[in-house]
Amino acid sequence: MIRAGLLALVLLAAAPAGAVQPDEVLPDPALEARARALSQGLRCPVCRNESIDESHADVARDLRLVLRERLVAGDSDEEAINFIVARYGEYVLLNPTARGSNLLLWLAGPAMLGAGGLIAALYLRRRSGAGDPAPETLSEADARRLAELLDR
């Protein structure tokens, strides 16, 4: 019994705490669950790669409140996200869409990897095609001189 309680305490301590304040929590558990799920996908404009659900910044709190207001007003998940993106830009999305100017960013990594692979393949092909140069043979004069030096 004590071990189970200790295990539960350790697991609760290891879980992410989040920054949602008690006064932000919606009374409807279903709406609150939606708000938490959506806020985990939104980036805090102040913090680097931290969701508004985890951030303690004031602007993150404001975004959490706006998101909850939109959900209470009856917006769908997509409408609530679009409302926030319209005001803050696509930067607030932790997983930006793969269209428009973002498409360049999505394709740049694989394109650079492909270009690097192509360059490496061409280099290795050229290197293996050259082979080892044939060893030079000694001329008669050099062979006699070498024999003289070795006999001494």
Side-chain angles (χ1 to χ4, degrees), residues 80-121:
I81 294 295
N82 288 340
F83 181 84
I84 292 175
V85 169
R87 277 141 188 83
Y88 289 91
E90 284 197 26
Y91 175 76
V92 296
L93 297 176
L94 280 173
N95 288 324
T97 59
R99 63 175 186 235
S101 61
N102 288 341
L103 189 59
L104 178 65
L105 295 174
W106 280 98
L107 296 178
M112 295 301 265
L113 181 64
L118 180 66
I119 290 170

Side-chain angles (χ1 to χ4, degrees), residues 37-112:
L38 291 175
S39 65
Q40 289 173 358
L42 294 172
R43 178 191 331 262
C44 173
V46 175
C47 311
R48 295 195 178 259
N49 286 333
E50 192 173 29
S51 72
I52 62 171
D53 195 50
E54 301 166 339
S55 175
H56 292 282
D58 291 336
V59 70
R61 175 182 165 79
D62 294 341
L63 282 171
R64 287 192 302 264
L65 291 173
V66 167
L67 179 66
R68 282 168 171 74
E69 286 173 9
R70 300 307 309 171
L71 292 177
V72 169
D75 284 1
S76 68
D77 293 354
E78 186 176 336
E79 290 171 336
I81 294 295
N82 288 340
F83 181 84
I84 292 175
V85 169
R87 277 141 188 83
Y88 289 91
E90 284 197 26
Y91 175 76
V92 296
L93 297 176
L94 280 173
N95 288 324
T97 59
R99 63 175 186 235
S101 61
N102 288 341
L103 189 59
L104 178 65
L105 295 174
W106 280 98
L107 296 178
M112 295 301 265

